Amino acid sequence: MRLALAIIATLGLCACGSHETTVTTPDVVVRHEARLPSTPGKHAPSLVAIENETPGELSTGTMLADVDSCATCHPDVAAQWSSSAHSFASFGNPIYRFDVELVRHDLGKTPSRHCGGCHDMPLMVDGLMTGDAPIPASDLRAHSGVTCRLCHGVQQTTHDGNGSYVWNAAPIDAPVLGDAASIAKHKKQVTTKVDTELCVGCHRGFLSPDMTMPVHLSGIDEPGNWRNSAYTGNGMARIDNVEKQNCIDCHMQRTQVSSAELGAKQGSVASHRFVGGHTWMAAMRGDTEQLKLTRAKLEGAASIDVAGARVVKDGKPGDWHLPADGAPVEPGTRLELDVVIRNLLVGHRFPGGVLDIQDTWVELELVDAKGKRIAASGLRHETDPNDEDTHVLRTLVVDKNGEVLERHEMGQFRTQVATQTLAPREAQAVRYAFDVPARIALPVAVNARLRHRARTLKMQAATCEAARTEEGKAFIAGARGARYVDFDPCKPQPVTLVAQTRIEIGAGAKISTARPAWERIYEHGMALGAMVVLRVPEAAAVLDVAYKLAPDARAKAMVAVQLGWVASKLGKLDTALARVKEARELLATTVAPGQPAPNPPVFDALTADVYMRLNKYKEAVAPAKSCTERAPSNASAWSVYARALVAVGDYTKALETARKGLELSPRDPDLLRSQATSLAALKDPQMEAAQNAYVRFRVPDEAAVLRIRCAKGEARCYRNRNPVQTIVLR
């Protein structure tokens, strides 16, 4: 696009002695600074940058792969790392090798550096990712993954992702024990420069045209979800009360070590096991300790509850029985049970990591008073790779034909169809329908379980098949030689029970008191808030009950805020604002006299939301601004504020606001659009670049068509069209 703009780059006064010249113009264009996403450099499409790289006796990749030198002084840390998923991030990992080889086959070797910047630095910096020869199966560089030298050499990161860090390749001096100056110099060299932000460069990822793909798709984003959460104090969805935590607090908890570990402080170190949710990686190489710790991390990370029940007669649903305990069971009717899952403890999405091949699922079974199972869902999922009738916490991704991809075939990704994984502290509901038979022995026990397996059975089958090829066998042998480990990706994956519950319904049922009723109903109503537009009365009706049962002012304020969100989604301005006011007043009573009243970001977020929905943009500006002040790390807050400013025509302020949001989320399409719109309105020379950035990183144009196509051909896609899906019990 050719732009005819009046541009004056510099305007000023110049004085020399008594001579004075004044330059004026009627059409001054003030230059503004756009915030554009980083572009790849030498190691494209990865965003890795390397400084101080000089030819030496050893290649840079060989130096990176060397862990033994560090283990001399840090034996316990090195041993911990050797059990971590980080240490098996490269081609020696059968799961990763299958995926990266798919990328290399579908897109080419150079695009595979998209993976290499985070998984294969020793290979990538030595040119092996793009060389003519195949990756050497016995080379240590193919079995080192993310090493000590890599993380402790990162100088800075950006919030872009895809390896957006600067790594210092300068040699690290080995310390001379007993020499204080030498030890101090070594510590200065290896101390991480960016603390919690160290994880950002690789735990945010996206696919883009830089990989020769026709679309841009956001993928893993643990840092973004964490920044937007209550764990940083930036959560905007609810009144919450959790202890602030960062990546290190959760995944590198301090652990006792031996006296031989010279990096210990008071006998402990931050664990370098990086325990998360990858049970399969530990199990396939027989690491029982890592598996035990990983399972312990998963158990209780989320909750499951049979939260509500209602009878449907002649197609007409009755009132909710809340909680579901003791709900009536009437022969000849349909019984609906709402199961609620909540992400309790995870500071990013649960399950996390690559979301399209996650396998966390719900099992529900009804057992009558005689011990006979009368209906169930999800029980086949553990062993049946073709099961599609189970609720799975997973993101469905489709190809150009709208068909669900099962094996993380990144080169064929075109859009996400549905995401059932849970953001931090979020709740979701799944509705199960049961046609009650004419004869049934009461009471009926309802058992609900949330179970986790690291990867789907179809993904495991593909990995197993690849591992049995000659090339696969060579890499497994290479791991045996380089790392002294044996991989067996074909043996059954461990399944972890994350959470379970049991209630009884029907005549004679026992009522559970394990959790407060108001809390269970509150989570149920919060989950139903996702479908307000489709079924207007449900969320409000459930939350009204929770409000009546709430035991104190704080609990009532929590429920009032959720009722406010329901009102906002329905466009009820006065009701939404009244709920915010009510919640503020309730919270104010929870503190001692003279102390400041709590003012969580959700109050301003909700107020701005209802004004924005009603196109009252002028009124939305103040609460939107206030929300960014209370949740400065939440990119969504900056996005709302920028859109409000654009709508009222304050383009200079909108541009400034969009830029602040883009510092946190550089490829957010809403923020990029606000920036481009503002620059265009200001007739700034950078508007074309900003518009191109928005077009490049917006949601794919064909996304809606592909979702419809998938819904027509796949039961899962059809079911996932609804925020609260219904599954008929078999």
Side-chain angles (χ1 to χ4, degrees):
M1 178 171 56
R2 301 181 65 87
L3 305 174
L5 297 175
I7 302 172
I8 296 181
T10 306
L11 177 65
L13 301 177
C14 177
C16 298
S18 60
H19 179 72
E20 218 171 79
T21 303
T22 302
V23 180
T24 60
T25 174
D27 297 313
V28 176
V29 176
V30 179
R31 286 184 178 274
H32 302 87
E33 185 179 354
R35 199 333 180 153
L36 301 176
S38 301
T39 55
K42 177 181 177 181
H43 299 288
S46 164
L47 290 170
V48 167
I50 301 177
E51 59 182 23
N52 299 322
E53 188 174 14
T54 56
E57 188 175 331
L58 293 176
S59 72
T60 303
T62 302
M63 176 184 67
L64 260 173
D66 173 27
V67 174
D68 290 342
S69 295
C70 302
T72 303
C73 294
H74 303 288
D76 292 65
V77 167
Q80 292 168 0
W81 168 86
S82 68
S83 284
S84 73
H86 279 179
S87 75
F88 296 102
S90 190
F91 279 73
N93 174 343
I95 316 168
Y96 172 72
R97 190 184 71 80
F98 170 76
D99 280 329
V100 72
E101 291 292 13
L102 270 182
V103 173
R104 292 160 72 80
H105 174 271
D106 292 346
L107 301 177
K109 290 184 176 180
T110 297
S112 75
R113 291 194 301 205
H114 159 85
C115 311
C118 290
H119 286 264
D120 306 295
M121 274 289 281
L123 293 172
M124 194 175 79
V125 296
D126 283 355
L128 297 177
M129 292 288 287
T130 51
D132 293 332
I135 301 295
S138 60
D139 195 312
L140 179 62
R141 290 171 292 182
H143 298 274
S144 300
V146 181
T147 61
C148 324
R149 185 68 180 82
L150 177 56
C151 286
H152 288 273
V154 171
Q155 302 299 297
Q156 64 184 71
T157 61
T158 70
H159 291 157
D160 292 271
N162 283 10
S164 57
Y165 58 85
V166 177
W167 180 69
N168 185 2
I172 292 175
D173 298 318
V176 178
L177 298 184
D179 184 337
S182 172
I183 294 172
K185 180 180 179 182
H186 177 74
K187 285 183 176 180
K188 185 177 180 180
Q189 288 176 317
V190 301
T191 299
T192 55
K193 309 301 187 294
V194 286
D195 298 324
T196 58
E197 293 296 318
L198 180 63
C199 310
V200 172
C202 282
H203 287 271
R204 166 175 275 172
F206 57 90
L207 307 179
S208 74
D210 292 325
M211 299 171 65
T212 69
M213 292 182 63
V215 297
H216 168 85
L217 290 176
S218 296
I220 179 175
D221 188 10
E222 319 296 44
N225 282 287
W226 166 71
R227 278 196 209 94
N228 290 358
S229 77
Y231 292 99
T232 62
N234 289 272
M236 304 191 318
R238 59 193 66 86
I239 295 173
D240 223 327
N241 185 24
V242 297
E243 183 180 348
K244 288 187 178 182
Q245 291 191 76
N246 57 38
C247 314
I248 293 171
D249 295 331
C250 189
H251 295 285
M252 297 184 72
Q253 293 174 325
R254 297 201 71 82
T255 183
Q256 294 298 118
V257 290
S258 71
S259 58
E261 175 53 59
L262 299 185
K265 294 180 179 178
Q266 298 179 331
S268 71
V269 296
S271 174
H272 282 59
R273 286 180 177 272
F274 305 106
V275 176
H278 212 324
T279 51
W280 187 20
M281 272 302 304
M284 75 166 66
R285 51 188 172 71
D287 190 335
T288 55
E289 181 65 14
Q290 186 77 2
L291 178 59
K292 182 182 76 173
L293 293 171
T294 305
R295 281 184 143 165
K297 176 72 73 175
L298 287 164
E299 291 165 355
S303 64
I304 190 167
D305 184 33
V306 184
R310 65 181 179 183
V311 175
V312 180
K313 291 182 179 179
D314 301 322
K316 297 179 180 179
D319 293 334
W320 284 105
H321 191 285
L322 302 168
D325 308 59
V329 178
E330 301 179 18
T333 65
R334 168 165 281 200
L335 180 67
E336 290 186 341
L337 299 167
D338 271 12
V339 170
V340 173
I341 312 145
R342 189 175 188 191
N343 178 352
L344 285 180
L345 303 178
V346 182
H348 46 73
R349 299 199 79 85
F350 175 79
V354 285
L355 304 180
D356 59 297
I357 44 177
Q358 287 289 339
D359 206 15
T360 302
W361 73 94
V362 175
E363 293 179 352
L364 190 75
E365 61 176 341
L366 275 59
V367 179
D368 71 10
K370 296 180 179 180
K372 177 184 177 183
R373 182 190 297 147
I374 53 176
S377 170
L379 303 189
R380 292 189 304 131
H381 191 81
E382 183 176 355
T383 57
D384 184 359
N386 296 310
D387 168 48
E388 295 185 2
D389 294 332
T390 299
H391 181 70
V392 182
L393 276 63
R394 174 190 172 193
T395 296
L396 299 181
V397 182
V398 297
D399 63 11
K400 64 181 181 181
N401 299 313
E403 296 180 359
V404 175
L405 295 165
E406 303 283 4
R407 298 170 180 84
H408 202 54
E409 303 98 322
M410 288 188 291
Q412 299 177 42
F413 283 11
R414 292 300 178 265
T415 194
Q416 296 102 331
V417 170
T419 296
Q420 295 295 343
T421 60
L422 287 161
R425 304 290 292 168
E426 184 181 28
Q428 70 174 217
V430 191
R431 185 156 297 166
Y432 291 88
F434 169 57
D435 293 322
V436 183
R439 292 185 178 182
I440 185 169
L442 300 175
V444 173
V446 184
N447 300 302
R449 294 178 289 271
L450 185 65
R451 306 182 75 198
H452 171 84
R453 174 168 50 204
R455 296 291 181 266
T456 64
L457 289 177
K458 288 185 178 180
M459 184 67 206
Q460 182 175 12
T463 300
C464 175
E465 183 181 355
R468 286 174 170 166
T469 64
E470 290 305 311
E471 186 179 13
K473 292 176 182 177
F475 274 97
I476 289 175
R480 191 180 304 123
R483 299 290 305 278
Y484 309 107
V485 294
D486 258 320
F487 285 103
D488 183 3
C490 300
K491 66 182 181 182
Q493 289 186 60
V495 175
T496 302
L497 180 63
V498 177
Q500 64 180 331
T501 192
R502 180 185 185 277
I503 69 161
E504 292 184 0
I505 55 177
K510 296 178 182 178
I511 307 302
S512 171
T513 57
R515 289 181 63 202
W518 83 268
E519 188 176 88
R520 295 171 62 189
I521 302 167
Y522 162 71
E523 291 181 347
H524 185 199
M526 181 166 56
L528 292 178
M531 65 170 193
V532 165
V533 175
L534 295 176
R535 296 169 181 161
V536 173
E538 290 192 23
V542 171
L543 288 167
D544 281 338
V545 176
Y547 187 89
K548 292 174 184 176
L549 295 177
D552 53 41
R554 179 179 175 80
K556 287 187 180 296
M558 292 167 64
V559 181
V561 161
Q562 295 306 311
L563 284 164
W565 281 118
V566 173
S568 178
K569 291 177 181 180
L570 296 175
K572 296 182 178 180
L573 175 65
D574 292 341
T575 303
L577 296 181
R579 289 297 188 180
V580 171
K581 182 175 182 293
E582 176 188 10
R584 285 185 190 274
E585 292 172 351
L586 285 165
L587 274 192
T589 67
T590 65
V591 296
Q595 295 297 312
N599 192 12
V602 66
F603 292 158
D604 291 315
L606 207 168
T607 303
D609 183 79
V610 67
Y611 281 130
M612 292 290 284
R613 288 178 186 273
L614 296 172
N615 300 328
K616 293 179 176 289
Y617 302 115
K618 184 177 179 180
E619 293 87 344
V621 169
K625 177 184 178 183
S626 182
C627 192
T628 65
E629 294 167 350
R630 285 172 173 74
S633 294
N634 194 317
S636 297
W638 292 103
S639 177
V640 172
Y641 185 27
R643 285 192 288 120
L645 290 167
V646 167
V648 299
D650 191 347
Y651 299 112
T652 301
K653 188 65 176 178
L655 178 60
E656 177 189 341
T657 301
R659 289 184 67 254
K660 289 180 178 177
L662 289 168
E663 289 172 7
L664 298 167
S665 186
R667 288 163 182 77
D668 181 281
D670 288 335
L671 287 163
L672 287 170
R673 180 177 56 198
S674 291
Q675 175 177 252
T677 303
S678 299
L679 287 168
L682 295 167
K683 299 182 179 179
D684 190 277
Q686 294 188 80
M687 73 179 191
E688 186 171 4
Q691 289 167 345
N692 290 340
Y694 166 64
V695 170
R696 183 180 180 86
F697 298 115
R698 66 182 176 181
V699 175
D701 290 338
E702 66 271 26
V705 173
L706 293 178
R707 291 190 188 103
I708 293 170
R709 192 173 296 167
C710 187
K712 289 181 177 179
E714 288 249 9
R716 290 174 296 176
C717 292
Y718 181 82
R719 197 169 65 232
N720 276 285
R721 295 181 312 161
N722 296 320
V724 178
Q725 55 185 265
T726 298
I727 298 175
V728 178
L729 293 172
R730 296 182 180 278

